[in-house]
């Protein structure tokens, strides 16, 4: 009888060890994925933030440029946006190749995090975009042209290049 009880406890203890080990392994793997994703995100943000051809500005600067009647292009980016994560490295390379220095970049991540859904919708409407990434060509206070995701097709460099070439004509 004691032998059977010992076997049962051994089986239960073995099961507990297997479950705990599995949970720990999954947590370690998730933590490694999170670290990897964070590192990629940091590299992406740093590469855009310090690209010599891209002018990083705060959202308030757009209002100043618009009220001054200037013509300018703004790249609305969000550092926690999966479509932006795909687009940014290609855009960074494009900027470096073309040496375009006439585009302003605004990271709207903090705005999105600090606004409720209604306020976020009003914010996007005020500045003329519906999603990120998006590029808007302002002529003074008016939105002259915009390029962003089309239906379910994410924004890509080819779409941006065509749009940018069209507004330069």
């Amino acid at each position: 009888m004691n032998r059977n009880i010992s076997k049962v406890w051994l089986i239960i203890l073995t099961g507990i060890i297997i479950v705990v080990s599995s949970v720990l392994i999954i947590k370690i793997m998730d933590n490694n994925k999170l670290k990897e994703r964070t590192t990629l995100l940091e590299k992406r943000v740093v590469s855009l933030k310090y690209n010599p051809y891209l002018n990083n500005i705060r959202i308030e600067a757009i209002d100043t440029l618009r009220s001054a009647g200037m013509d300018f292009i703004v790249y609305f980016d969000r550092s926690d946006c999966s479509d932006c994560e795909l687009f940014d490295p290609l855009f960074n390379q494009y900027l470096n190749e073309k040496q375009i220095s006439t585009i302003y970049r605004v990271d709207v991540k903090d705005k999105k995090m600090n606004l409720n859904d209604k306020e976020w919708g009003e914010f996007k409407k005020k500045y003329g975009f519906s999603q990120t990434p998006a590029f808007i060509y302002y002529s003074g206070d008016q939105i002259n042209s915009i390029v962003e995701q089309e239906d379910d097709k994410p924004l890509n460099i080819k779409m941006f290049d065509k749009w940018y070439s069209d507004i330069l004509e």
Side-chain angles (χ1 to χ4, degrees), residues 7-23:
K7 284 183 182 180
V8 169
W9 278 109
L10 183 61
I11 291 171
I12 290 172
L13 186 58
T14 303
I16 291 172
I17 291 172
I18 290 172
V19 169
V20 170
S21 298
S22 298
V23 168

Side-chain angles (χ1 to χ4, degrees), residues 29-42:
M29 289 173 60
D30 284 347
N31 192 28
N32 287 341
K33 286 179 185 176
L34 179 61
K35 283 181 185 177
E36 187 177 293
R37 181 166 164 71
T38 302
T39 302
L40 289 172
L41 180 61
E42 287 169 349

Side-chain angles (χ1 to χ4, degrees), residues 1-71:
M1 184 81 163
N2 277 343
R3 198 170 215 175
N4 287 338
I5 292 175
S6 295
K7 284 183 182 180
V8 169
W9 278 109
L10 183 61
I11 291 171
I12 290 172
L13 186 58
T14 303
I16 291 172
I17 291 172
I18 290 172
V19 169
V20 170
S21 298
S22 298
V23 168
L24 286 175
I25 289 170
I26 289 170
K27 285 202 176 273
I28 290 169
M29 289 173 60
D30 284 347
N31 192 28
N32 287 341
K33 286 179 185 176
L34 179 61
K35 283 181 185 177
E36 187 177 293
R37 181 166 164 71
T38 302
T39 302
L40 289 172
L41 180 61
E42 287 169 349
K43 285 180 183 176
R44 182 179 71 80
V45 170
V46 166
S47 68
L48 280 177
K49 190 171 185 178
Y50 298 107
N51 186 306
Y53 301 108
L54 196 59
N55 304 295
N56 290 282
I57 61 172
R58 298 179 54 85
I59 195 70
E60 297 80 10
I62 294 174
D63 297 329
T64 303
L65 292 168
R66 288 176 84 176
S67 62
M70 302 200 50
D71 290 356

Side-chain angles (χ1 to χ4, degrees), residues 95-110:
L95 286 173
N96 289 331
E97 289 172 4
K98 304 284 185 175
Q99 298 184 352
I100 299 168
S101 60
T102 56
I103 298 175
Y104 296 101
R105 174 186 173 261
V106 175
D107 184 345
V108 294
K109 175 186 174 193
D110 290 338

